[in-house]
Amino acid sequence: MSAKEVVTMLNKMFSMFDERAKREGIEKIKTIGDAYMAATGLTQEGNNDGAAKMIRFARGLLEDVRTFNESSNAKLLIRLGINSGPLVAGVIGKTKFIYDIWGDTVNVASRMESTGIPMKIHVTENTKAQTSSLFQYSEHSEIDVKGKGMMKTYFL
């Protein structure tokens, strides 16, 4: 594909993701090339259901990709990674203000995506622990996560 075709395709796909994020109360953080970063549960409220909300969002993204593929010549597959835990969020600098998130939780979520399986949701033990009563998970896999060592992870 030409660069213009790729950008047009990504714009169409990410616009679908943006609409879903808005409907479901998910905070789009940014796009990084062909990656879409989002977060939820960015509060310390006791009834925070961020992990479950993010899994529902991720399942919806898989539906969006399937819908996109029905009318597109390019058949896309995506990997999804989710982690739950503390992070830092905010805006830094003096120009081009962009809300962003940082921390180990964010880095591990990125590793879940990069070590994932196309069209599956790859989650950490933290996320599974918060949502195991709501979703059925695969048996755990142990993977070597850069900077973390061996970790138990799960697929939806």
Side-chain angles (χ1 to χ4, degrees), residues 27-98:
E27 183 76 30
K28 175 183 177 181
I29 304 299
K30 59 185 168 185
T31 58
I32 310 155
D34 66 353
Y36 187 98
M37 180 189 282
T40 193
L42 299 173
T43 66
Q44 295 183 0
E45 297 166 359
N47 63 348
N48 187 331
D49 70 340
K53 188 183 283 189
M54 187 55 74
I55 288 172
R56 288 189 295 272
F57 176 66
R59 284 183 161 178
L61 296 182
L62 293 173
E63 289 175 26
D64 289 344
V65 170
R66 290 182 191 104
T67 299
F68 176 87
N69 285 342
E70 289 172 4
S71 63
S72 174
N73 291 332
K75 303 303 180 203
L76 302 179
L77 301 173
I78 63 171
R79 292 186 312 251
L80 297 128
I82 301 175
N83 187 24
S84 303
L87 54 79
V88 175
V91 177
I92 58 175
K94 292 186 176 187
T95 61
K96 289 215 170 200
F97 301 114
I98 299 171

Side-chain angles (χ1 to χ4, degrees), residues 38 98 134 138 149 154:
I98 299 171
L134 302 171
S138 67
Y154 304 83

